[in-house]
Amino acid sequence: MDISNRNEEQYLTFALGKGRLANKALELFEKIGITCEEMKDKSSRKLIFVNESLKIRFFLAKGPDVPTYVEYGAADIGIVGRDTILEENRNVYEVLDLGFGKCRMCVCGAPSAGELLQHHERIRVASKYPNIAKDYFYNKKHQTVDIIKLNGSVELGPLVELSDVIVDIVETGSTLRENGLEVLEEVCPLSARMIVNPVSMQMETERIKSLVNRLRAEIVNAV
Ligand code: PRP
């Protein structure tokens, strides 16, 4: 192995879920002195951003792909919502709750649909998160349901009678309110999490532990 390869191995690579979570994560990293000036240029079409002095690389990916990059070791560390971690169920370590992106995974529907959840009826459930929905209904509620996968605007499901209820993220609740729907049951709380590749955790234990400790201290301070 030549020297450049050895240097290459010293980089810690972060995969960030594109969008709000990535911006919040970068703000948090900046507070502990991890910056990436290259990433601030919004007009840039670059996909990978490097901080040479800290030997850190960042790339942005679609949220559901972040656990995939981390499981395969293409990224050592990922920042992604707990919803995605639960849905993708990849072989990664979840090491830190970053405390932002707080919301809830809920079963929602018209108020009248509440009744359907009480009697173990075979109902239709639309969701962007079929695995979370399946786990909740089959393993926690022991209710057999038909799950319909959608890719967004899931609230349409009950409105156009595609489904009886939905399993979806509720943050402020305004999408539900404006469409005459409500939370019927809470599945679990959600927030942004840091995940780590199991091999990276072994090979870079000190570096990753120190990063997690500094981030944890910053998060506690901010509360
Ligand atoms: C999410 C979620 C809800 C909405 C909840 O959708 O799926 O639709 O936000 O937020 P609220 O409680 O603050 O109204 P997102 O905006 O990610 O788009 P999507 O519907 O295409 O998934």
Side-chain angles (χ1 to χ4, degrees):
M1 194 189 290
D2 69 20
I3 287 171
S4 61
N5 264 343
R6 221 173 290 147
N7 275 339
E8 186 69 14
E9 279 183 4
Q10 290 169 4
Y11 281 91
L12 263 192
T13 302
F14 290 71
L16 308 180
K18 269 184 199 167
R20 271 176 297 179
L21 285 193
N23 293 335
K24 287 267 191 190
L26 289 170
E27 278 173 29
L28 180 63
F29 288 140
E30 199 149 348
K31 287 185 185 153
I32 62 161
I34 295 178
T35 53
C36 194
E37 290 307 313
E38 271 191 327
M39 268 186 119
K40 292 181 182 165
D41 176 6
K42 297 293 173 206
S43 64
S44 171
R45 307 286 292 172
K46 277 186 85 166
L47 293 173
I48 300 179
F49 304 91
V50 185
N51 181 323
E52 288 293 349
S53 55
L54 296 176
K55 288 269 183 264
I56 278 177
R57 303 194 298 187
F58 290 98
F59 65 83
L60 296 173
K62 284 265 186 193
D65 293 338
V66 168
T68 312
Y69 285 108
V70 175
E71 179 181 280
Y72 284 93
D76 302 291
I77 291 172
I79 305 294
V80 71
R82 183 176 180 228
D83 48 318
T84 304
I85 298 170
L86 295 173
E87 183 63 23
E88 296 299 317
N89 196 22
R90 292 283 178 176
N91 178 27
V92 296
Y93 293 153
E94 186 185 313
V95 296
L96 187 63
D97 182 344
L98 297 170
F100 54 78
K102 282 191 178 162
C103 49
R104 300 181 291 158
M105 186 65 74
C106 297
V107 181
C108 312
S112 58
E115 180 84 357
L116 302 171
L117 300 172
Q118 307 308 321
H119 307 298
H120 286 204
E121 294 195 36
R122 186 166 186 135
I123 55 171
R124 290 203 286 192
V125 180
S127 185
K128 227 164 109 168
Y129 303 91
N131 293 327
I132 294 177
K134 195 170 166 188
D135 179 61
Y136 182 69
F137 278 98
Y138 280 72
N139 300 333
K140 302 216 172 72
K141 281 180 68 80
H142 306 290
Q143 181 171 3
T144 303
V145 297
D146 294 317
I147 292 169
I148 304 169
K149 162 91 183 345
L150 289 178
N151 292 297
S153 302
V154 178
E155 290 83 356
L156 274 171
L159 299 180
V160 299
E161 294 177 18
L162 172 74
S163 68
D164 299 292
V165 296
I166 60 174
V167 168
D168 199 18
I169 291 173
V170 179
E171 193 179 350
T172 62
S174 49
T175 311
L176 292 179
R177 269 193 303 280
E178 288 181 28
N179 291 289
L181 304 173
E182 62 182 36
V183 171
L184 301 171
E185 290 177 357
E186 182 171 322
V187 177
C188 61
L190 303 170
S191 59
R193 306 291 163 105
M194 177 179 283
I195 54 174
V196 179
N197 171 274
V199 176
S200 306
M201 195 66 188
Q202 276 192 337
M203 305 292 284
E204 295 277 0
T205 312
E206 288 316 312
R207 222 173 150 196
I208 294 174
K209 266 191 182 168
S210 144
L211 173 73
V212 169
N213 287 339
R214 281 186 292 151
L215 285 172
R216 189 180 286 123
E218 186 57 46
I219 294 162
V220 169
N221 269 342
V223 174

